[in-house]
Amino acid sequence: MTNKKKISGLNIAFTIIIITEIMFFAGLISAYIIASAKAMDWPPIDQPRLPQYISISNVIILLVSSLFLYFFIKNAKKGIKDLNFLLITIILGIVFLVIQGKEWINLVDFGIQTSDGLYASYFYSIIAVHGIHVVVGLILIITLYLKLKKTSDIYTKLPSITAFGMFWYFVTLLWPVLYFLLYLY
Amino acid sequence: MTEHKKTGFLKRFFFSLDHKDIGFQYLLTAMFMAAFGGFFVYVFRYNLAFGPDDIPLYGNLAAKEYNQLVTNHGAIMIFWVGMPMVLAVLGNFLIPIMIGTDDMAFPLLNKISYWTFLLSCIVLLSGFLMPTGAFGGGWTMYPPLSVSDFGYNNPNTTFKANFFTGNTFFLMAVALEFISMLMGGINFIVTTLNKRAKGLSLMKLPIVVWMINIASLLFMFSVGPLIAGTFMLLMDILVGTGFFDAYRGGDPILWQHLFWFFGHPEVYVLLLPSLGVVGEIFSTFSRKPFFGYKMVIFLVLIAGILSLVVWAHHQFVSGIDPGAANIFSLLTIIISIPFAGMVLAYLGTLWRGDIKFTVPMMFALGMLASFTFFGGFTGLHLGSNVFDIYAHDTYFVIAHFHYTLFPSVILGGFAAIYYWYPKFSGRKLNKTLGKIHFWGTFIFFNSIFIPLFWLGLQGQHRRIFDYSNWDKLLMQPNHIMARQIATVSLIFLIITQFIFLFNFFKSLYKGKVAEKNPWKSNTLEWQASSPPGHGNFALYPAVYRWPYDYNHPDRDTDFLPQNEK
């Protein structure tokens, strides 16, 4: 057994974390879907509409950031250290957070409060939880970036590159699903 | 790899990264929390039998305090005694040494996991210091009881006032405990997959390692929705969202779904590791190979998958769709098939064995017997919604789930402690005291809960503080007598545990020195010295066979360690 090539422990650990996360979001999303199916009008008539068209730019931003991360990991597996790709990923992630934060402030100004009812409760909670995940993913990738800047040997860092990358893929691929459910559904 | 060094007390118990030390820290913390859980149950059982006034060591009990004590007894015994005892203690102590390696895959994560667990204990207990008192809405935290005084329902309260309540602290403690167990579980699985000794394939692993890993996986799969639910409940209390508020379109039953989706697999998380312990002990003390090793592993996997789809059997009286209730009934009853297969395999291991009645063997037999005959069989009845609707809110359910959890956590936990004590301390426990402890625990445990089965079938409701307020409610002399038998037995059960504590701590320093392999067992941990030094093995063992080669026909000795050719 030990002679075979093993998957690194960090990758197994992140796979398990992502499974737990999927179950976590499955709990939230299924609660949301059932709540919306039970309601008479969804979204409620007296609530302001959400900005669907500005927000779709955010979907694109996150997906593009994942694409650049994919290029980076592909190169890293060949031994090429191209940190600019990683930098673009980080910048796009920050841009996403800024746009999303601005939208939140706008919505609060429009008068959507968490205590207004189920619709706003779910909207704010799910967006906030996803936002926290983006922040955590960014912290992981930024620490990776800083560590890679110091080392020249990229192979030793490959386990953490793939593991953190996996987490970022998860966060970015989750967002289109949430966008569809919260803004369009 | 390294020589065993004597380290200072502080260093060993607070900052050590060694898996054995962390396991011991978990054990001591769990025992500390068990003292609280045990004291709480003593107070409220005394009240049920003899009335709320002048309870020795406590004083007068108010109805609100009764609710707080019951709530915290349940939560402590499941999350702060059960989870650390069967998962963290056994996993930490056994996995690295049984798979023949020096430590966990992530020792630092392991330490952080323990610190988080300790923090969760402190947060939970500090709930009692809050101005509104500890949380008293039941350990299942059902809304609206868990939110009614807070948030939207009471617009005068501020965020700060909502935060410093027993409810918030209880929820935060539960969330921290889950995070701690998640870190631990990740460590167990990665360690088992990546750090096994040379030649130790998955199908040669000791059964208890399999069980701890399956339990960890089950925990990972099921805990997500409950973390989501806990988050939503905290939002309801703190920010005033309305997820579980029926008045604003929310759904209180949603919480029950999120909770029990985790809650049912949780029972198996507590049960499986201790079934693994029982399996090890049966094989060792019957001097026979484990019967149906592969069958048991696959049956456990099937039971684990099934356990994810039976949660609504806790909600038959909550007003769920009767059609759905029938399906959940059916699935619940189906789950008994894999467990019946496992019990068969265990009995097959004992069958015609050369059984040695040592203390761990007695606890293991007691665990399997009481779990199967009372916990399992009454579970079969309660799984049927037709019966459950009548029994659900009675003491029948209380007796049922104590017959599943007490054997798996306490009896299984004691079996494990008595079995591996010589290994982790290097000394032996006193055998006579151990036997007295076993018979005291086993007899008084049964005499607590058999009367409760009867009371439940008589219709005694399970959430009442003072029966004397309702003359018609089971106040005949024999009902009062049954309650008193249960309470007196409980007091004796608690007293019996002091024998164990005395034995445990005295033997730690004064016990007979144990040899390397006192039970003549096959698994790898018995090849390390007792107690194992830092790094466990002087030379990493290589494994040539499965762990249950007892009475091998080619050998003169009746055991054959895994690392012998």
Side-chain angles (χ1 to χ4, degrees):
Chain A
M1 250 346 247
T2 36
N3 311 337
K4 284 186 197 164
K5 202 184 159 203
K6 280 187 289 194
I7 306 167
S8 85
L10 208 59
N11 277 300
I12 300 173
F14 268 80
T15 311
I16 298 167
I17 290 172
I18 287 170
I19 290 171
T20 311
E21 295 281 13
I22 288 172
M23 292 306 289
F24 170 79
F25 279 100
L28 272 181
I29 289 171
S30 55
Y32 172 78
I33 291 174
I34 290 168
S36 63
K38 271 189 192 167
M40 298 279 273
D41 303 294
W42 194 269
I45 293 164
D46 53 339
Q47 296 272 309
R49 295 297 94 144
L50 297 167
Q52 293 173 352
Y53 299 109
I54 307 167
S55 303
I56 201 155
S57 65
N58 253 345
V59 177
I60 295 163
I61 286 171
L62 271 193
L63 289 180
V64 170
S65 86
S66 244
L67 194 66
F68 277 100
L69 186 70
Y70 171 75
F71 290 145
F72 170 74
I73 293 175
K74 212 179 165 192
N75 278 342
K77 279 181 181 162
K78 289 181 201 154
I80 308 164
K81 192 173 87 167
D82 202 341
L83 282 181
N84 287 337
F85 282 143
L86 201 58
L87 197 62
I88 294 171
T89 307
I90 294 170
I91 291 169
L92 287 176
I94 293 170
V95 168
F96 169 84
L97 278 180
V98 170
I99 294 178
Q100 202 60 34
K102 264 193 131 175
E103 192 189 296
W104 262 48
I105 294 165
N106 280 341
L107 288 176
V108 175
D109 288 346
F110 271 137
I112 305 182
Q113 299 279 329
T114 48
S115 49
D116 277 356
L118 265 196
Y119 180 65
S121 299
Y122 275 111
F123 175 76
Y124 279 113
S125 303
I126 294 177
I127 300 281
V129 170
H130 181 262
I132 293 168
H133 281 81
V134 174
V135 172
V136 171
L138 269 179
I139 291 172
L140 290 177
I141 290 182
I142 289 171
T143 46
L144 188 68
Y145 177 80
L146 295 176
K147 271 188 187 166
L148 284 178
K149 253 191 151 177
K150 284 179 205 157
T151 55
S152 57
D153 180 19
I154 198 162
Y155 279 115
T156 53
K157 288 283 165 210
L158 215 48
S160 41
I161 291 173
T162 46
F164 296 170
M166 203 154 55
F167 190 78
W168 188 253
Y169 288 153
F170 165 71
V171 169
T172 49
L173 292 179
L174 183 68
W175 179 246
V177 179
L178 296 181
Y179 174 78
F180 172 75
L181 285 171
L182 291 169
Y183 288 82
L184 305 180
Y185 180 61
Chain B
M1 279 286 152
T2 47
E3 282 293 302
H4 181 53
K5 281 188 303 221
K6 279 272 173 211
T7 43
F9 177 84
L10 199 74
K11 208 172 168 201
R12 176 161 180 211
F13 291 106
F14 288 90
F15 301 108
S16 169
L17 295 183
D18 189 71
H19 70 99
K20 299 178 290 293
D21 291 342
I22 292 174
F24 193 51
Q25 289 162 2
Y26 267 114
L27 179 62
L28 289 182
T29 319
M31 280 155 83
F32 178 74
M33 293 306 278
F36 279 96
F39 179 69
F40 294 166
V41 67
Y42 152 73
V43 173
F44 71 73
R45 271 305 322 171
Y46 189 94
N47 157 60
L48 289 172
F50 304 110
D53 300 326
D54 292 330
I55 296 171
L57 299 175
Y58 187 82
N60 297 341
L61 183 74
K64 191 186 167 196
E65 290 165 9
Y66 173 84
N67 288 340
Q68 293 170 347
L69 293 181
V70 175
T71 300
N72 283 283
H73 163 74
I76 286 176
M77 287 305 192
I78 287 176
F79 294 131
W80 283 277
V81 178
M83 293 286 283
M85 185 58 225
V86 299
L87 209 58
V89 175
L90 295 181
N92 269 308
F93 186 74
L94 295 179
I95 286 180
I97 195 164
M98 277 187 138
I99 64 173
T101 186
D102 56 344
D103 207 333
M104 286 286 179
F106 308 112
L108 185 64
L109 186 71
N110 208 12
K111 181 86 265 194
I112 297 171
S113 150
Y114 172 73
W115 281 112
T116 316
F117 176 73
L118 190 66
L119 181 68
S120 79
C121 295
I122 295 167
V123 171
L124 179 82
L125 292 177
S126 53
F128 279 89
L129 306 173
M130 293 302 122
T132 51
F135 176 55
W139 78 274
T140 51
M141 305 168 261
Y142 279 5
L145 279 177
S146 46
V147 271
S148 54
D149 301 336
F150 306 98
Y152 185 82
N153 298 296
N154 190 351
N156 299 323
T157 55
T158 58
F159 180 85
K160 199 180 156 198
N162 286 333
F163 185 80
F164 288 102
T165 52
N167 303 36
T168 311
F169 273 61
F170 188 91
L171 282 169
M172 287 194 307
V174 170
L176 283 171
E177 206 268 352
F178 290 158
I179 291 167
S180 151
M181 290 296 149
L182 272 175
M183 292 192 275
I186 287 170
N187 235 334
F188 300 157
I189 293 167
V190 174
T191 309
T192 314
L193 286 179
N194 268 3
K195 295 195 79 177
R196 273 167 291 141
K198 198 163 178 286
L200 185 59
S201 65
L202 283 176
M203 279 301 164
K204 284 179 189 159
L205 281 178
I207 199 87
V208 65
V209 176
W210 264 107
M211 295 282 198
I212 294 170
N213 277 290
I214 294 171
S216 306
L217 264 183
L218 212 50
F219 180 75
M220 309 289 170
F221 274 117
S222 61
V223 79
L226 182 57
I227 295 181
T230 314
F231 169 73
M232 286 153 82
L233 198 55
L234 266 177
M235 288 291 121
D236 269 13
I237 292 173
L238 292 174
V239 189
T241 54
F243 295 116
F244 304 119
D245 184 358
Y247 176 69
R248 283 180 291 158
D251 188 357
I253 292 185
L254 171 64
W255 166 263
Q256 301 183 14
H257 285 294
L258 294 173
F259 184 88
W260 288 116
F261 183 81
F262 163 78
H264 195 79
E266 165 73 6
V267 179
Y268 296 147
V269 171
L270 296 176
L271 168 68
L272 295 181
S274 91
L275 271 183
V277 169
V278 170
E280 296 292 327
I281 293 174
F282 274 11
S283 183
T284 303
F285 294 117
S286 308
R287 315 308 296 169
K288 269 188 68 192
F290 191 85
F291 181 77
Y293 173 83
K294 278 188 186 169
M295 177 181 90
V296 167
I297 289 166
F298 287 116
L299 286 175
V300 172
L301 286 171
I302 292 168
I305 292 164
L306 277 176
S307 78
L308 292 168
V309 291
V310 298
W311 75 90
H313 67 214
H314 297 267
Q315 296 162 247
F316 288 152
V317 293
S318 304
I320 62 167
D321 178 9
N326 285 337
I327 294 167
F328 278 108
S329 264
L330 188 67
L331 286 166
T332 306
I333 292 169
I334 286 174
I335 214 170
S336 62
I337 296 171
F339 278 106
M342 274 150 72
V343 173
L344 177 78
Y346 279 55
L347 295 180
T349 309
L350 293 175
W351 180 254
R352 293 187 168 181
D354 178 12
I355 295 176
K356 307 231 178 327
F357 283 99
T358 55
V359 181
M361 184 64 168
M362 288 161 94
F363 271 103
L365 287 168
M367 184 270 166
L368 198 70
S370 40
F371 178 82
T372 316
F373 288 135
F374 287 102
F377 282 177
T378 54
L380 212 51
H381 294 93
L382 287 170
S384 152
N385 53 350
V386 182
F387 176 74
D388 183 77
I389 285 171
Y390 294 97
H392 193 87
D393 275 330
T394 70
Y395 268 75
F396 192 85
V397 166
I398 302 247
H400 158 71
F401 73 69
H402 280 89
Y403 258 110
T404 58
L405 293 178
F406 190 95
S408 45
V409 174
I410 310 289
L411 295 181
F414 280 138
I417 291 174
Y418 279 101
Y419 186 59
W420 279 290
Y421 189 91
K423 181 51 62 186
F424 92 90
S425 71
R427 288 171 191 277
K428 284 179 175 168
L429 286 165
N430 184 317
K431 214 188 292 176
T432 321
L433 287 179
K435 285 190 177 164
I436 296 170
H437 176 223
F438 168 73
W439 285 113
T441 308
F442 188 71
I443 291 169
F444 294 128
F445 155 63
N446 281 291
S447 64
I448 294 171
F449 291 108
I450 288 171
L452 295 190
F453 272 130
W454 179 75
L455 278 170
L457 288 177
Q458 295 283 305
Q460 179 176 304
H461 195 278
R462 64 176 162 133
R463 291 195 179 97
I464 287 178
F465 163 62
D466 184 2
Y467 291 94
S468 60
N469 286 340
W470 292 275
D471 287 343
K472 300 244 162 48
L473 204 72
L474 300 174
M475 288 303 285
Q476 273 86 37
N478 50 357
H479 295 134
I480 296 173
M481 174 87 125
R483 287 199 280 271
Q484 288 175 346
I485 291 173
T487 300
V488 172
S489 305
L490 171 80
I491 293 169
F492 280 120
L493 179 72
I494 292 173
I495 291 170
T496 312
Q497 303 318 309
F498 285 102
I499 301 173
F500 166 74
L501 285 179
F502 172 76
N503 197 359
F504 184 92
F505 286 107
K506 192 186 166 223
S507 304
L508 217 48
Y509 300 101
K510 297 256 169 76
K512 264 190 248 164
V513 175
E515 57 270 40
K516 207 164 134 185
N517 192 355
W519 311 118
K520 300 198 172 29
S521 183
N522 287 345
T523 36
L524 285 178
E525 79 271 25
W526 303 107
Q527 302 307 313
S529 58
S530 298
H534 193 74
N536 295 343
F537 297 96
L539 269 174
Y540 286 129
V543 172
Y544 301 101
R545 55 186 67 252
W546 79 319
Y548 303 109
D549 270 339
Y550 293 101
N551 279 313
H552 197 275
D554 302 346
R555 293 296 169 116
D556 298 335
T557 51
D558 69 344
F559 70 109
L560 186 50
Q562 273 189 291
N563 60 344
E564 270 181 31
K565 269 191 184 154

